[in-house]
Amino acid sequence: MWTAPRPLPLNRTPTMGKTDVIPAPPPAVAKVPEGTDLIEWYFERGCSDGLPLVPPTPEKIAAAITALGGEGERLLARVPPRWGNLTREVLAINMVMAGCRSEYAPVVEAAILALCEARFNLNGVQATTHMASPLLVVNGPIRRAIGMNAGCNTFGSGNRANATIGRALRLVLLNVGGGWPGLLDKSTLGHPGKYTYCIAENEEASPLAPYHVEKGYRAEDSTVFVLAAEPPHSITNHFANDAEGILDSVCSAMSTICNNNAVSAGHCAVVLGPEHAAAVAKSGWKRHDIRHYLWAHSSNRWGDLYGNGRYGKVYNRNLPVWYKRDPDARTPIVPSPDNIHLFVAGGEAGRFSAFIPGWGHMSAPVLRGIGDAQPAGGPECVDGTCSV
């Protein structure tokens, strides 16, 4: 007989593509007969994201709770849309099931707290029909300390820290937040980032100051950034060797009439590959130059966004009131250069970058320090500009 933790509040039985909700037993330990295939047992209990889980043994849970700071019963957050209680013990269980090492705990905890901040609107992100999924970007020394991949294939497979940190967040959104497809998650299509969507900035290969330093943190601080995001949209440019030539390609990728920023404003991210970033920096451009250029030169004609009047006049209250609604007016992709979040990541070979549209004005990204890290005060100068 093995005593298994019960991490889920609900038991789901998929039938014909639908999801039946069965009241869960009382919150107590479950007695599992000796010889039970625990991988299959957890599938049957409805705990999984669709992939096999690591059985959360008491020893592994205890180690994860210790890494989180102890006090397993401590309430960290309530996770929408089900508003389940996330204690350190429950977070530890989901970390173990995702395959996290204990040293990943500070990143996972900071990230879930960022997701649960009101301005992120996790309730909306979890329940929307859009495909948005939380993107996590990690900055600072902790990236290397826990072995995150910021280089080749950074958005892809092959790195335990990236994969399991992102997966732990998804398991919490499922098991505690109740964001199960067809039940409370109403996404029409979803995207692969709803398994795991976690990267680190390649600070070592970047010619620019790290993202978190731009925002007032010290280089020795570590941070997490979360954005409700579509998948990465590839940007290829193998011919330009100057800032404008490369960034014009980024503007082209941003200037489509069908990404969610084009019709709902909000925030987006741009990830420059190191080769592109080096060429831009060689032209003497800094982070603020890049963001302002992208904002100034990415837009769509209002008429093109809405069928050129074929379906009648459209006002679109999702966009800022100061946008012109005339057919030939240029409509910005986002309201301000500050709504473009710029990172450098990926392998050092290859002239590729990525545009990552956000969900729109319904969610705001969150940057949070890990541990006690706070934005530095005083005259902090970054890329030629100083904040005081």
Side-chain angles (χ1 to χ4, degrees), residues 131-146:
M131 61 169 56
S133 180
L135 165 67
L136 170 62
V137 184
V138 181
N139 272 98
I142 200 166
R143 302 164 304 120
R144 302 192 72 179
I146 65 175

Side-chain angles (χ1 to χ4, degrees), residues 38 70 115 164 268 327 334 342 348 367:
L38 294 176
L115 291 177
T164 62
C268 65
V334 291
L342 179 67
E348 296 183 35
L367 176 66

Side-chain angles (χ1 to χ4, degrees), residues 62 85 150 159 236 314:
N85 290 334
N159 180 271
T236 303
V314 175

